[in-house]
Amino acid sequence: ASHPRARLNVCIDERSLGFWALGYGRACGRPAAVVTSSGTAVANLLPAVVEASLSGVPLLLLTADRPAELRDTAANQTIDQTKIFGGFTRWFFDLPPPVADVPGFGRTVLTAASTA
């Protein structure tokens, strides 16, 4: 959180983090960006996502996932995260892995994030 407008809140429990972000969004009217690792960490956000959706509170989730080649292989932390939140999200995008030789890839990531 080196940007002057960014604040960092470290939380080792994703469920608690989801509800912290929900409270922030409810109080400020602006979404908190929730960043998590993959697998069950993402699943732990579901209760807060449902609550945010049903109450109209903004929430931005940036979740990691395993590389495509490790999905559906029973590798560690590889639950199916695609559409894990069902209809409780307003927008979803599964970013492709970064490729060094693709011009403008960074712009693609920034465009996807700003669209959310």
Side-chain angles (χ1 to χ4, degrees):
S2 62
H3 192 280
R5 292 179 54 196
R7 287 188 313 202
L8 180 63
N9 179 26
V10 177
C11 185
I12 60 169
D13 178 70
E14 292 85 4
R15 183 178 164 97
S16 297
L17 177 62
F19 281 106
W20 180 90
L22 175 67
Y24 177 88
R26 183 172 281 145
C28 298
R30 294 185 312 265
V34 177
V35 181
T36 66
S37 59
S38 62
T40 56
V42 179
N44 279 305
L45 296 174
L46 180 61
V49 170
V50 171
E51 180 73 24
S53 177
L54 295 178
S55 58
V57 174
L59 193 60
L60 176 63
L61 307 176
L62 306 168
T63 63
D65 201 351
R66 292 304 212 188
E69 64 271 12
L70 290 179
R71 294 180 185 178
D72 298 321
T73 64
N76 187 30
Q77 296 285 303
T78 57
I79 66 169
D80 184 2
Q81 292 179 210
T82 306
K83 302 283 187 174
I84 194 170
F85 301 118
F88 293 105
T89 58
R90 304 291 183 268
W91 187 79
F92 163 84
F93 188 72
D94 189 9
L95 286 170
V99 180
D101 60 347
V102 175
F105 182 78
R107 169 81 49 207
T108 301
V109 172
L110 291 174
T111 301
S114 70
T115 301

